[in-house]
């Protein structure tokens, strides 16, 4: 799974924030739900149009962004 196939960036949608498959739910939304203590299963129940792969893509995207941040800061 490559997150690049799932995470989309569109200037006119959600202020250009990274979204999942062109929908209006952002990577930030999913990461916030996970950080608040929601489980993957709870997220999938609340948002039936999301998949487990979507959630993993969000995590992968965040990991790549963190690696880039660390590389630049070093």
């Amino acid at each position: 799974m490559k997150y690049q196939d799932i995470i989309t960036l569109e200037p006119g949608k959600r202020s250009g924030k990274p979204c999942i498959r062109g929908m209006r739910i952002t990577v930030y939304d999913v990461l916030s739900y996970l950080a608040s203590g929601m489980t993957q299963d709870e997220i999938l129940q609340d948002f039936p149009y999301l998949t487990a792969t979507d959630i993993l893509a969000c995590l992968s995207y965040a990991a790549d962004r963190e690696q880039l941040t660390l590389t630049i800061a070093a």
Side-chain angles (χ1 to χ4, degrees), residues 18-38:
C19 294
I20 300 169
R21 294 183 284 115
M23 295 185 285
R24 297 191 59 78
I25 186 162
T26 65
V27 170
Y28 176 83
D29 294 333
V30 172
L31 295 176
S32 293
Y33 299 140
L34 291 169
S36 73
M38 284 181 79

